[in-house]
Amino acid sequence: MKGLSRDRLWSVLVLLPSVLLLAVFVYGFIGRTVAVSLTDWGNDPAQALALNPVIRPVGLANYQELFTGFLQVRFRQELVNTLFFTVFFIAGTLGLGLALALLLDRNPRGEGLWRTIFLFPMSLSFIVTGTIWRWMLQPQGGLNQFPAVLGLPPGRFEWLSSTASIWGLDWNRVPLLTAAVVALALGVVAWRAARAGNRTRTLVAGACALVLLGWAVFVGPNVQLLPAPEVHGFNLALVGIILAAVWQMSGYTMALYLAGLRGIPEELREAARVDGANEVGLYRHVVFPLLSPITLSAMIILGHISLKIFDLVYAMTGPDNTYTSVPALNMYLTSFRQNQFALGAAIGTILLILVAFVIVPYLASAFRREEGHA
Amino acid sequence: MTTTAPPVTTAPPAAVPHRPRPRRAGLYLLLALATLFFLLPVYLLLATAFKTPEAISLATTWQWPRDLNWASFREAWAKVGGNVGNSLLLAVSATALSAVLGSLNGYALSKWTFRGANTLFALMLFGMFIPYQAILIPLFQFIKGLGLYGSLGGLILAHVVYGLPITTLIFRNYYAEVPDALVEAATIDGAGFWGIYRRIILPLSVPAFVVVVIWEFTQIWNEFLFAATLTNTSSQPVTYALSQLAGGQAVSWNLPMAGAILAALPTLLVYVLLGRYFVRGLLAGSVKG
């Protein structure tokens, strides 16, 4: 037993450096970023790079500035950009990946070669992808010249330079809409809990939903973040960036889905066919439900990638195109080009919160399940 | 013509079952279309890189150059060759370090589990998903405080630390498949923590090392944010150099295209030669192995 405890000591000793490093580099640094975001470090340019800068705590002023300040309109457009980018990037990547996986699941000749072709963009950096696609999407060249090869007039779409946007939404209505959406989600939770017979959860979720709904109806319409309406929408120049991102990442979802499809036992399909399911029914009732856990984990991985993405945008439209910018890019520019460290830290913190919403429930559920099995 | 009756052709025996299967044709048509989408950018990349600057115009984007012009590559190499060297040094050393640490962590976490090991591991994994923007300012200060700002050393340190979650994950999941009975038998034979690692675990680890090395090498080679924040001109990796090369409006496009090829070649080679392991690392990145 003495030897065993010495071995245990070794295992702790082996883990210790990594645990300490990650404790400092992840949690310590996050804490420091949050702390910096609550100060005014760098808001006065003279103090930003001073040897002993005067740094004062300012509470949540930086966050307030980002969401309501006149000068930070760029950041609000970026939040909206991130939302649209995430939705279309995930939808496109999942759709194309699933389609490719379904094709390859039919065992065409040369399957390995097809797979290699669909996956190779994964090995490139976003910078390389962005450089290539930027040339593909030149206003008067590349894709727009493609119809000309077939003898048609060249296209006119302003892939990366468009300043037009659709589906505009007044920023002042964001709190109202957020409350309504969250209330709706809580309502669904309450309804499902009621059906499952969980009374406490029904009551809590239902009450929260009602409170939020009440807020949205009675208080929400009067909340004015900004003195004037400020419209943000889906900027059309993002289409090109989404296209390049889908090109790069759909091989990943293809690999995930293909692994999933190959994991479905043939007997299950046979059984469904014996029960009279046709091909469409087979996919709807047997195959797709079995793939839904893969879809969920792919959505989480892609979602956190898309919230963090910035090198692709940097390479495709440059750092200064405010129409296509994203918070992750803004954070880098604000902190390291303008030396507004506190404001940059606030943007970083907001990004972290967004990503944590996606990742923490995922990690928690993955490990709870594992712990249960072990 | 009609008089000469053709010889009675007996139908070839088993020709009937092989109908011209339209669905098969549809399958290959769709695959070909998808291939077009994935390979067109490559065609354009090569066509542009081989053109002379004068031959590049928006209207003739899609034409293949008459004569292959290799000068773009020479010129691009002169501009980013040093950065390729930086990337190589960075990726190799950071990959090696984080692979070794990850292997030891994975071994300790899978074969010497203790209460709360899974929670600890989940806390470590979180580091894989955080947006690095949320730690960038303190990281920058820390690296600067160590006197490593602007050198490859600081960048290597950052990549080793933030590579630990994924390397630990891959090794832990891999070692979980090694039967515990093997470890117990070795314990009874008197082998300890290090003995078991050296004689049982390490010899079995080659495939896991291959996955981790490919994955980390690719990630570090392709990384941009740390490269842009923690280095200066002498230590910039190739991704940053390429972004500078492509960002200037004055250069003609053959140069960034040639640069993109140089920057992409190492990871592309790794992928083509060892693709199977690359995919395995990819799937391991989705947490459950």
Side-chain angles (χ1 to χ4, degrees):
Chain A
M1 274 300 115
K2 209 174 169 190
L4 194 63
S5 63
R6 203 173 60 192
D7 289 337
R8 290 230 172 273
L9 195 66
W10 269 121
S11 84
V12 171
L13 275 179
V14 157
L15 278 172
L16 205 59
S18 303
V19 170
L20 284 180
L21 279 174
L22 286 172
V24 172
F25 277 67
V26 175
Y27 297 95
F29 284 3
I30 286 174
R32 172 107 184 101
T33 301
V34 174
V36 167
S37 78
L38 301 174
T39 69
D40 67 347
W41 186 20
N43 290 0
D44 171 10
Q47 290 292 326
L49 292 179
L51 270 183
N52 292 304
V54 180
I55 301 173
R56 280 170 311 219
V58 294
L60 294 172
N62 289 311
Y63 296 91
Q64 195 183 1
E65 172 68 16
L66 286 171
F67 284 102
T68 63
F70 177 67
L71 287 175
Q72 294 302 325
V73 55
R74 171 175 177 161
F75 175 75
R76 297 190 284 274
Q77 177 62 47
E78 286 167 342
L79 278 183
V80 176
N81 283 348
T82 296
L83 178 75
F84 283 114
F85 182 88
T86 303
V87 169
F88 288 110
F89 167 67
I90 291 183
T93 312
L94 286 180
L96 186 57
L98 179 61
L100 295 175
L102 287 174
L103 289 179
L104 290 186
D105 193 43
R106 301 195 154 261
N107 300 314
R109 265 162 210 270
E111 190 201 315
L113 180 67
W114 302 112
R115 232 181 16 214
T116 307
I117 291 172
F118 302 151
L119 255 169
F120 88 89
M122 275 296 297
S123 69
L124 306 179
S125 65
F126 276 120
I127 295 290
V128 168
T129 300
T131 307
I132 302 172
W133 275 89
R134 186 171 162 205
W135 178 224
M136 287 278 290
L137 300 176
Q138 283 298 295
Q140 266 118 42
L143 273 196
N144 276 349
Q145 280 294 332
F146 205 55
V149 176
L150 306 170
L152 300 164
R156 296 184 164 277
F157 194 79
E158 294 174 308
W159 290 103
L160 300 174
S161 51
S162 173
T163 56
S165 74
I166 51 174
W167 305 324
L169 175 76
D170 185 359
W171 187 254
N172 276 326
R173 290 172 63 190
V174 164
L176 175 76
L177 279 170
T178 315
V181 168
V182 175
L184 202 69
L186 282 169
V188 173
V189 169
W191 183 68
R192 290 175 86 174
R195 277 186 38 165
N198 187 334
R199 259 180 80 192
T200 331
R201 190 181 291 179
T202 313
L203 285 176
V204 171
C208 289
L210 279 178
V211 168
L212 270 175
L213 210 61
W215 186 89
V217 171
F218 295 111
V219 187
N222 303 319
V223 172
Q224 291 281 321
L225 290 175
L226 301 157
E230 186 183 290
V231 177
H232 296 289
F234 173 52
N235 196 285
L236 292 180
L238 277 174
V239 173
I241 300 176
I242 293 169
L243 192 64
V246 170
W247 179 80
Q248 167 135 1
M249 293 301 296
S250 49
Y252 169 67
T253 45
M254 180 213 69
L256 281 180
Y257 278 129
L258 198 58
L261 286 168
R262 295 276 151 86
I264 297 173
E266 194 51 39
E267 299 92 72
L268 219 57
R269 297 181 190 221
E270 284 306 322
R273 285 200 189 98
V274 170
D275 287 347
N278 57 5
E279 281 298 292
V280 177
L282 177 69
Y283 277 99
R284 247 190 74 188
H285 298 296
V286 179
V287 175
F288 289 151
L290 286 172
L291 291 182
S292 60
I294 294 180
T295 305
L296 184 67
S297 47
M299 279 175 80
I300 286 159
I301 301 287
L302 294 172
H304 103 274
I305 290 175
S306 99
L307 290 173
K308 297 197 293 200
I309 207 162
F310 92 111
D311 27 10
L312 188 67
V313 181
Y314 188 104
M316 288 186 77
T317 53
D320 299 318
N321 185 332
T322 53
Y323 292 100
T324 57
S325 187
V326 287
L329 178 56
N330 190 351
M331 186 275 161
Y332 168 75
L333 297 175
T334 304
S335 311
F336 295 98
R337 200 185 269 185
Q338 293 147 17
N339 300 317
Q340 289 186 292
F341 295 109
L343 208 56
I347 301 176
T349 307
I350 292 166
L351 266 178
L352 179 74
I353 293 169
L354 289 177
V355 170
F357 265 119
V358 176
I359 289 300
V360 169
Y362 178 60
L363 282 181
S365 83
F367 280 92
R368 202 174 305 142
R369 224 177 309 137
E370 204 169 281
E371 208 105 28
H373 280 296
Chain B
M1 308 277 165
T2 46
T3 47
T4 49
V8 180
T9 47
T10 49
V16 193
H18 284 279
R19 297 177 273 128
R21 290 180 291 179
R23 301 192 53 190
R24 243 14 214 178
L27 172 66
Y28 287 108
L29 184 71
L30 288 174
L31 282 172
L33 276 177
T35 304
L36 209 61
F37 174 61
F38 282 96
L39 289 186
L40 270 181
V42 179
Y43 169 82
L44 196 65
L45 173 74
L46 292 172
T48 313
F50 280 117
K51 277 178 189 168
T52 58
E54 304 81 56
I56 295 172
S57 80
L58 289 169
T60 59
T61 309
W62 291 99
Q63 274 171 26
W64 187 255
R66 288 227 184 94
D67 310 295
L68 295 189
N69 167 43
W70 288 89
S72 322
F73 290 94
R74 213 173 310 128
E75 205 180 327
W77 181 257
K79 296 217 161 154
V80 303
N83 306 101
V84 171
N86 286 341
S87 280
L88 208 60
L89 194 62
L90 164 73
V92 169
S93 49
T95 299
L97 278 169
S98 63
V100 169
L101 285 171
S103 165
L104 288 170
N105 290 343
Y107 167 59
L109 279 171
S110 65
K111 292 294 168 235
W112 301 91
T113 45
F114 45 89
R115 267 174 67 99
N118 274 342
T119 312
L120 180 76
F121 180 53
L123 286 171
M124 285 174 82
L125 267 194
F126 185 59
M128 184 164 107
F129 296 106
I130 55 164
Y132 293 139
Q133 277 82 359
I135 47 89
L136 201 57
I137 293 170
L139 177 70
F140 171 75
Q141 288 181 290
F142 184 83
I143 299 283
K144 216 170 165 178
L146 287 181
L148 290 175
Y149 170 77
S151 77
L152 271 183
L155 204 51
I156 291 172
L157 175 66
H159 279 300
V160 170
V161 173
Y162 295 106
L164 283 174
I166 178 92
T167 59
T168 304
L169 168 76
I170 294 175
F171 278 112
R172 174 184 171 273
N173 287 348
Y174 183 79
Y175 293 149
E177 307 286 311
V178 175
D180 284 341
L182 218 60
V183 176
E184 275 156 30
T187 327
I188 292 164
D189 290 347
F193 182 87
W194 291 107
I196 294 168
Y197 182 70
R198 272 226 325 274
R199 278 188 235 121
I200 297 174
I201 299 292
L202 205 54
L204 290 171
S205 305
V206 177
F209 267 104
V210 175
V211 171
V212 163
V213 164
I214 292 172
W215 181 251
E216 276 298 279
F217 181 85
T218 314
Q219 291 296 308
I220 297 171
W221 185 279
N222 289 342
E223 203 276 340
F224 180 73
L225 181 61
F226 291 161
T229 316
L230 302 177
T231 57
N232 57 23
T233 24
S234 66
S235 58
Q236 274 152 3
V238 68
T239 43
Y240 190 74
L242 178 63
S243 79
Q244 296 308 100
L245 193 63
Q249 287 298 330
V251 265
S252 61
W253 278 94
N254 60 322
L255 201 56
M257 291 298 124
I261 293 175
L262 295 178
L265 222 46
T267 53
L268 208 55
L269 265 178
V270 166
Y271 167 65
V272 170
L273 296 178
L274 299 159
R276 202 155 49 90
Y277 298 96
F278 182 82
V279 176
R280 212 174 288 172
L282 209 65
L283 300 183
S286 343
V287 175
K288 277 154 289 173

